[in-house]
Amino acid sequence: MVEHIYFSDDTLTLTLLDQRFLPVQEDFFVCQTTDDIVKALQVMVVRGAPAIGVSAAFGACIALNEALNTPDWRVTLAHLLEYIANARPTAVNLRWAIKRMRKLWLENNTIEAKDLLALWLKEARLIQQEDIENNRKMGFFGGELLQDGWTIMTHCNAGALATAGYGTALGVIRGAIEQNKHIKVIANETRPFLQGARLTAYELAKDGIEVSVACDNACALLMQRKLVDAVVVGADRIAANGDTANKIGTYGVAIIAKEHGIPFYVAAPSSTIDIETLCGEDIPIETRPSKEVSHIGEHRLIPYNVKVFNFAFDVTPAKLITGIITENGVLRNPYQKNIAELFKHKK
Ligand code: MRU
């Protein structure tokens, strides 16, 4: 795949593959300012929890460079960091990445701006690198859960495009394939932004992995007809009790999987687990512009003056999740206890 998140140390710009136009066009969006970064996050030039985190870390470097031209760069920078962190509310990786950059600044609080920039550039690259490594580890652990010949349903895009590379849910599929298993994928189309139809299908087809796209509302029928062996999805935020926010529609897929005795796995790096969010009810759910639902492109689908719901995420209760695949292994129920245990060792 083309490089989809590229930062130039020379020009201090972030070049993003513009996911709004895939799969028809491979266009790039160049971020030179904090406004550009926030726009790229909000209109979903770049999307997917880990990819948002990596972009935000590079965004912090752009913000720092911008703050240098103001009377008090420290005050300006603090505001700009908050501006980036608030670009989207649900995916915790965004706040997680900004928190990590802030921590480094706090640990070196007397540092000159140019030295902080050097530290941050290194840190942002590290976040990017670690994400790929973590995805590969998840691919290994998750790949072991899938059997040769299985068809995996996934919802949204939790692939290379949604991360620094390789993917979380799609990383698990890649991991199984690297373990010489023959795996087929069903990508739910994922209304309204069509991450499944446009992005998951795009990257799997490019990599020669067999993929079919199904309407979101075909899920029950496909499972009833035994055309799905397991579900693997990504996550935007996992609460301390294992409740998991992911793209709208995921909760329904999990309920239907339970009804049909089909395992339902979540694949996410530990940076997506937020132990400060106690349960699913505490996860903020983003609502997005109604035009994403009422239109396809510029073409209106529904009558004028009719309201729409556009919740971007829903929360799957932990009890419906067979396992959470992380870079540290597979977490199982009781999630509350096992997540607490994982984070105890991380400190
Ligand atoms: O609105 P999006 O496209 O950013 O939502 C993305 C998802 O819900 C993904 O499934 C999730 O971030 C996992 S990405 C590895």
Side-chain angles (χ1 to χ4, degrees), residues 19 44 46-52 88 91 93 135 155-159 162-163 167-169 193 195 199 233-237 245-248 250 267-269 272 286 288 312-313:
Q19 298 190 28
M44 304 215 287
V46 61
R47 29 68 45 206
I52 288 174
R88 292 188 75 187
N93 306 60
N135 290 338
H155 193 79
C156 196
N157 171 262
T163 61
T168 56
F193 201 71
Q195 287 94 331
L199 309 176
V233 296
D236 289 86
R237 190 184 302 213
N246 191 50
K247 182 50 54 192
I248 188 81
T250 304
T272 304
E286 177 181 11
R288 295 193 51 82
F313 302 95

Side-chain angles (χ1 to χ4, degrees), residues 224-254:
Q224 190 182 44
R225 294 204 168 176
K226 304 198 183 322
L227 295 173
V228 180
D229 297 294
V231 178
V232 186
V233 296
D236 289 86
R237 190 184 302 213
I238 301 174
N241 70 347
D243 291 350
T244 295
N246 191 50
K247 182 50 54 192
I248 188 81
T250 304
Y251 176 31
V253 174

Side-chain angles (χ1 to χ4, degrees), residues 284-342:
I285 300 293
E286 177 181 11
T287 52
R288 295 193 51 82
S290 55
K291 195 176 175 196
E292 287 179 356
V293 175
S294 62
H295 288 64
I296 291 213
E298 288 310 307
H299 181 75
R300 173 175 274 276
L301 298 173
I302 65 166
Y304 287 99
N305 301 324
V306 171
K307 291 187 198 146
V308 301
F309 288 114
N310 192 9
F311 292 105
F313 302 95
D314 59 26
V315 177
T316 300
K319 66 176 185 198
L320 297 178
I321 300 171
T322 312
I324 300 177
I325 304 157
T326 74
E327 74 276 19
N328 301 106
V330 183
L331 296 168
R332 304 270 184 182
N333 228 343
Y335 290 108
Q336 182 102 43
K337 177 174 160 286
N338 293 334
I339 288 174
E341 192 69 21
L342 173 70

Side-chain angles (χ1 to χ4, degrees), residues 5-15 58 62 121 125:
I5 305 177
Y6 172 76
F7 190 80
S8 160
D9 288 8
D10 298 333
T11 55
L12 295 181
T13 53
L14 180 67
T15 302
F58 286 119
I62 292 176
L121 285 172
R125 291 211 188 282

Side-chain angles (χ1 to χ4, degrees), residues 1-6 16-19 22-23 26 28 46-47 51 132 157-167 170 174 198-208:
M1 209 176 65
V2 288
E3 200 161 5
H4 62 297
I5 305 177
Y6 172 76
L16 299 165
L17 176 62
D18 196 331
Q19 298 190 28
L22 290 175
E26 287 180 352
F28 291 88
V46 61
R47 29 68 45 206
I132 298 173
N157 171 262
L161 288 166
T163 61
Y166 200 71
L170 299 193
R174 290 184 213 281
R198 297 189 302 106
L199 309 176
T200 297
Y202 161 83
E203 65 168 89
L204 291 181
K206 255 197 158 182
D207 288 351

Side-chain angles (χ1 to χ4, degrees), residues 12-14 29-40 58-59 62-63 65-66 80 83-84:
L12 295 181
T13 53
L14 180 67
F29 184 95
V30 181
C31 303
Q32 292 175 310
T33 64
T34 312
D35 278 339
D36 293 339
I37 292 285
V38 170
K39 180 175 177 197
F58 286 119
I62 292 176
N65 189 44
E66 199 172 309
L80 292 178
Y83 177 39
I84 298 173

